[in-house]
Amino acid sequence: MTQPGGQPEHPGEFTINLQVVGDGIGVLQWNAPTNLETLTRAIGLATDDALIGRGLRRVEVALPLRDTMALRALHRSGFRREGVRRQAIRLPDGSLGDVALYARLVDDLSTGPAGFSGVMNSVLATKRVIAHVVFRDDTGRILLCDTHFKADWELPGGVVEPHESPQAGAIREVAEELSLTVTGLRLRVVDWMPPHLGWDDALEFIFDGGTLTDEQIARIVKQDSEIVAVHWVETERLGDHLSALGARRLRAALALDPGQIAYSEDGQTFTE
């Protein structure tokens, strides 16, 4: 290994190079395959030199996703995955491969339990969380929203934000969409949703918002940017307006006994 930015003494020997690309950012590259221990040590030394010795604030590495040994070396060195460039390189067999972008910042924790967790948090799978609320009127009809974004209607609610609990997300979404302030929501269903319409899979939490009073219904103001109209729908007509999954899931939720909570997958296979 040479010093970052140096030249190998002998052609073909393993070297790691740091290129400063401006504004406190460096890019690491190496020129030849090596073993895991050597690569891990080289990445660690070069990165420490860049962030501590040279005063950079960020070191980046881009490499093929299928290079599992190099990925492990980056993980061991405290680098966090920031994204994937799809079909960004031509592989030796002629096929197209994805490239992962990793980076380590000067103030990243890179050692110890917190450092390990931070790296794994950037690498392991994550799932969207969606929170919806079932509201009834005094005749038992269900409130559904006709949105600008899809043909089928849906319950009030939406995607939970990072570091937000499902219930807090449901309360926020109802306030944004309907101008309603609600508290004390009761969880009824947790459903795993398979990939659909370009979305990855997700977990949906359905809460029971109870029966709205006439005064609450009169105070509803729809969020024009997202909602075309708000409708009250009889339970026997839910299938006319919801997606097949949404109808299965909601019917099963409405069939639960008071206080009962259920888990489902794709709106089916409910268990207490």
Side-chain angles (χ1 to χ4, degrees), residues 84-149:
V84 175
R85 297 170 56 213
R86 298 175 299 152
Q87 296 188 4
I89 57 170
R90 184 74 63 177
L91 299 173
D93 63 4
S95 64
L96 293 172
D98 298 339
V99 170
L101 175 64
Y102 279 78
R104 193 173 124 192
L105 306 183
V106 67
D107 54 358
D108 278 345
L109 287 174
S110 58
T111 59
F116 174 79
S117 297
V119 171
M120 290 298 100
N121 185 62
S122 74
V123 173
L124 297 178
T126 59
K127 293 187 185 297
R128 280 180 305 120
V129 173
I130 302 167
H132 282 132
V133 184
V134 179
F135 291 115
R136 302 172 181 80
D137 67 5
D138 58 9
T139 68
R141 296 180 301 175
I142 305 299
L143 189 155
L144 297 179
C145 296
D146 178 8
T147 71
H148 292 285
F149 314 118

Side-chain angles (χ1 to χ4, degrees), residues 1-9 13-21 26-31 42-43 45-47 49-50 54 56 59:
M1 182 183 75
T2 66
Q3 292 296 318
Q7 298 296 322
E9 294 181 2
E13 73 174 0
F14 169 74
T15 62
I16 190 164
N17 178 69
L18 174 73
Q19 179 183 4
V20 179
V21 296
V27 176
L28 279 185
Q29 295 178 316
W30 46 92
N31 72 326
I43 290 173
L45 290 172
T47 303
D49 177 72
R54 301 186 179 208
L56 300 186
V59 175

Side-chain angles (χ1 to χ4, degrees), residues 125-132 150 154 158-162 164 166 190-205 245:
T126 59
K127 293 187 185 297
R128 280 180 305 120
V129 173
I130 302 167
H132 282 132
K150 53 171 64 175
E154 60 182 22
V159 177
V160 176
E161 294 181 350
E164 183 179 50
V190 178
D191 183 69
W192 173 78
M193 301 169 58
H196 180 63
L197 291 178
W199 292 103
D200 287 335
D201 63 333
L203 292 174
E204 174 157 357
F205 289 69
L245 167 57

